[in-house]
Amino acid sequence: MEYSSKTLIIILIATLLMAFSISVYSNETPLPEREERPYSNNNILHRFLADDPRATATVACDKYPRVCRAKGSSGPNCCNKTCVDVSTDKLNCGKCGNKCNYSQMCCQGKCVNTSVNAKHCGRCNNSCKRGSSCAYGLCSYAN
């Protein structure tokens, strides 16, 4: 069986890439024992969640609310044992448990319909120019 030069180059590149990926993964640090693994199920570690800060957190904000003000926290407020920002969180808008409707967003702690609100047109804090209206989340759509 005779191969063309292009085919041989492709085979060579594929072999080199596989060898490189094996050498990269062989230098990884081993994973911790099963008890320390976040989000593990039947000894399978979900790698896409391994770097999630919530995966290794052991302190609950309901007991220690100051953890919500720490760097890297998802918000300064503690609602239902979760750190949130009540000025932007759709499930805790303005206060814990205040849910915005499906068509609304939480802007500055208030549920607003961004498809028609001239102060929050299309997104929070996107004001339309004076005299123009907001329709379908676009300023001056009908004009």
Side-chain angles (χ1 to χ4, degrees), residues 51-81:
D51 294 331
D52 189 339
R54 296 172 294 175
T56 57
T58 56
V59 180
C61 69
D62 61 331
K63 294 180 184 175
Y64 303 98
R66 293 179 69 186
V67 299
C68 292
R69 292 188 294 272
K71 185 179 179 182
S73 172
S74 55
N77 311 99
C78 181
C79 293
N80 198 22
K81 298 181 184 180

Side-chain angles (χ1 to χ4, degrees), residues 10-95:
I10 292 172
I11 292 172
L12 178 64
I13 291 172
T15 306
L16 289 173
L17 287 174
M18 287 185 347
F20 176 75
S21 66
I22 291 170
S23 68
V24 168
Y25 289 116
S26 65
N27 292 333
E28 283 187 350
T29 57
L31 294 172
E33 292 300 317
R34 185 169 188 256
E35 294 81 35
E36 297 175 8
R37 290 182 181 182
Y39 293 98
S40 63
N41 184 11
N42 297 331
N43 217 11
I44 298 171
L45 177 65
H46 301 285
R47 299 285 305 211
F48 65 95
L49 294 173
D51 294 331
D52 189 339
R54 296 172 294 175
T56 57
T58 56
V59 180
C61 69
D62 61 331
K63 294 180 184 175
Y64 303 98
R66 293 179 69 186
V67 299
C68 292
R69 292 188 294 272
K71 185 179 179 182
S73 172
S74 55
N77 311 99
C78 181
C79 293
N80 198 22
K81 298 181 184 180
T82 305
C83 295
V84 297
D85 186 353
V86 295
S87 65
T88 58
D89 187 28
K90 191 173 178 173
L91 300 176
N92 300 287
C93 188
K95 63 180 181 178

Side-chain angles (χ1 to χ4, degrees), residues 107-108 110 112-114 116-129 132-134 139:
C107 299
Q108 299 171 339
K110 295 180 182 173
V112 295
N113 186 345
T114 56
V116 294
N117 190 311
K119 291 183 181 179
H120 306 283
C121 189
R123 59 179 156 65
C124 293
N125 303 320
N126 184 36
S127 297
C128 294
K129 292 180 183 176
S132 65
S133 62
C134 178
C139 293

Side-chain angles (χ1 to χ4, degrees), residues 3-11:
Y3 294 105
S4 70
S5 60
K6 288 182 181 180
T7 306
L8 289 174
I9 291 173
I10 292 172
I11 292 172

